[in-house]
Amino acid sequence: MTKRSPFKYFKSSPEIIRLAVMLYVRFPLSLRNVEDLLHERGIDVSHETVRFWWNRFGPMFASEIRRRRVQQLRAFSPWQWHVDEVFVKINGERHYLWRAVDHEGEVLESVVTKRRNKRAALKMLRKLMRGYGQPEVLVTDRFASYKAALREIGCEDRQACGRWLNNRVENSHLPFRRRERAMQRFRRMRSLQKFVAVHSSVFNHFNQDRGLSKRDHFKLKRTAALAEWRGQ
């Protein structure tokens, strides 16, 4: 049975929809910024249309990227992960965004919780290990809830703590913080969870480690990532 195209009843082409979603998620732009950029390219859509496209197709694009990358990551031994949490404000209330990255900066998982305790740490770690298995080393800060959660899972001996060991995940928070300022914070916990899931997948797809590659290699990888995005 032929699968129906998700773009079937839309007047705009899939290429334009993919471009709009990529601009909004990948770069720290507002909806109106994306509207203006598309207008310069002769595409007349409102910022509310961009909002609808992002909500409708963003999770679908992210799931396609995540499915391919998880299959690739499972082929390699999960050597070292870094886990950390940052606070975010939702309607003036403090929530916590837990994020895990591997030793190369690949974002593995993002979870939003209302509390910063053992139960929240368990939720994050169990979801992470359910998708990727168990690492050889799990780098965290000295927050006691990590140790308690890892003890319950049976991975306490794999925890590593140190003053600068977790810089990898600390630096990975920066793209999200820039995006948060552009969006003028979030208004619902569910919308934040949805956005960070899509943002992390798109970030992984286009993150080519510019500082670690020669210019020619970087250009080839960037072109391949963009071609893959357009042809999903």
Side-chain angles (χ1 to χ4, degrees):
M1 186 176 182
T2 304
K3 185 178 179 180
R4 191 181 69 179
S5 171
F7 307 100
K8 183 175 182 180
Y9 298 107
F10 288 81
K11 294 181 180 179
S12 299
S13 66
E15 291 77 14
I16 293 176
I17 295 175
R18 290 185 184 278
L19 174 61
V21 174
M22 183 193 70
L23 290 174
Y24 181 65
V25 178
R26 184 183 176 191
F27 302 105
L29 301 172
S30 68
L31 293 167
R32 288 175 173 80
N33 291 149
V34 176
E35 177 186 351
D36 292 340
L37 288 173
L38 293 176
H39 177 71
E40 292 177 4
R41 290 163 173 76
I43 304 170
D44 186 18
V45 296
S46 70
H47 67 278
E48 289 297 338
T49 301
V50 177
R51 185 198 305 276
F52 177 78
W53 287 347
W54 131 248
N55 279 288
R56 176 70 176 271
F57 296 105
M60 184 186 75
F61 297 157
S63 65
E64 293 173 355
I65 295 172
R66 193 179 302 112
R67 182 171 59 253
R68 290 196 300 267
R69 297 185 80 88
V70 166
Q71 292 174 353
Q72 295 172 1
L73 290 172
R74 283 179 175 173
F76 299 93
S77 174
W79 170 53
Q80 181 170 295
W81 294 346
H82 301 255
V83 181
D84 190 40
E85 75 288 339
V86 293
F87 73 87
V88 291
K89 288 289 187 69
I90 303 177
N91 285 333
E93 296 183 7
R94 176 173 290 191
H95 291 67
Y96 297 92
L97 171 61
W98 304 69
R99 302 175 76 248
V101 303
D102 66 8
H103 63 283
E104 294 183 340
E106 182 95 0
V107 181
L108 302 175
E109 197 64 66
S110 301
V111 175
V112 182
T113 63
K114 291 184 178 181
R115 299 287 183 269
R116 182 174 177 254
N117 51 23
K118 174 186 172 182
R119 182 177 179 182
L122 274 173
K123 178 181 178 180
M124 171 65 182
L125 294 173
R126 282 173 173 165
K127 185 176 182 181
L128 180 63
M129 294 181 181
R130 188 164 54 245
Y132 299 94
Q134 294 186 357
E136 297 177 13
V137 180
L138 187 64
V139 181
T140 69
D141 56 26
R142 300 187 187 278
F143 183 45
S145 293
Y146 286 120
K147 188 173 183 178
L150 288 170
R151 185 186 304 117
E152 183 166 327
I153 295 175
C155 301
E156 185 180 6
D157 58 329
R158 306 190 183 196
Q159 184 183 19
C161 300
R163 187 173 180 182
W164 294 290
L165 289 180
N166 227 16
N167 284 353
R168 173 69 71 180
V169 69
E170 294 284 354
N171 292 333
S172 74
H173 292 310
L174 298 180
F176 168 76
R177 286 303 196 191
R178 287 193 292 266
R179 201 66 192 80
E180 181 187 26
R181 288 193 293 271
M183 298 179 69
Q184 298 180 358
R185 301 183 185 270
F186 298 89
R187 293 166 180 79
R188 290 188 302 170
M189 184 174 170
R190 188 173 70 174
S191 64
L192 172 57
Q193 180 65 70
K194 180 179 180 179
F195 181 82
V196 295
V198 177
H199 181 267
S200 61
S201 293
V202 175
F203 174 80
N204 289 338
H205 183 73
F206 288 102
N207 182 28
Q208 306 299 330
D209 287 330
R210 184 187 299 244
L212 301 179
S213 303
K214 293 183 178 180
R215 178 65 181 174
D216 293 340
H217 294 168
F218 166 72
K219 290 169 65 177
L220 288 174
K221 292 179 180 177
R222 182 176 60 183
T223 301
L226 188 58
E228 186 177 353
W229 173 268
R230 290 171 175 169
Q232 284 179 4

